[in-house]
Amino acid sequence: MGVIRAIVAAIWGLIRWLGPVTLLLLMPWRWFRRRPAAAPALAAAPEVQAGPEVEDTWPEMPRTGRPGTATDEQVEALMALRVVPAPPCRDLHDYSREEAAAILDAIAFAREVASQVTGGEDEEAPPEAFTALLNDLVAETLSDDELRSFALRWAKSGKPTPIRENTTFDKARAVVLRYWQPHETAS
């Protein structure tokens, strides 16, 4: 009986000693695990959220593919272009392969549209104005189904220049014209 008590006491002492150590080792995983989205029932009432003059929200790109499957090359390309992840993504690795490819293609499309509409004058624009133009054009391209599919078809066809102008292209042109007005030529 004394031997069993000694074994039980040794096991109990080991558990008491290993318990806190195990908790300390597991704690970082608890800190960095993904948090579930807030339940809609916990969301504040719209009148509380809105407050006085809330800034316009960006249009949202629909989620496609399996989140978290963006390749390292895609993430590096997005980082090189200084893309900031948009909610619900907290990191560029949270995008799917399809979303990352769509963003990269939309950026290339936006640059080509801006260049085509301005006749190359977009290169002379102040950096903050050009960045605002591209941000708005990329957001519009990714959120509008028709414009997004047009941009992705353009990218898949080898990115020919100039881009074929049609009613879909006119949507992108309208975004560029919000930021840029053509110079008047003397007649």
Side-chain angles (χ1 to χ4, degrees), residues 4 39 42 83 98 159 164 172:
I4 294 176
L42 300 178
V83 172
E98 296 84 359
K159 302 179 182 176
R164 181 175 47 97

Side-chain angles (χ1 to χ4, degrees), residues 109 116 150 153-154 160-170 173:
F109 178 76
Q116 186 170 328
F150 181 76
R153 279 194 315 269
W154 171 79
T161 54
I163 299 173
R164 181 175 47 97
E165 296 189 25
N166 56 22
T167 55
T168 307
F169 181 85
D170 288 341
R173 178 193 309 274

Side-chain angles (χ1 to χ4, degrees), residues 106 109-110 136-145 147-149 151 172:
F109 178 76
D136 201 12
L137 187 53
V138 167
E140 186 69 28
T141 301
L142 292 172
S143 64
D144 183 271
D145 291 335
L147 191 55
R148 184 178 59 252
S149 63

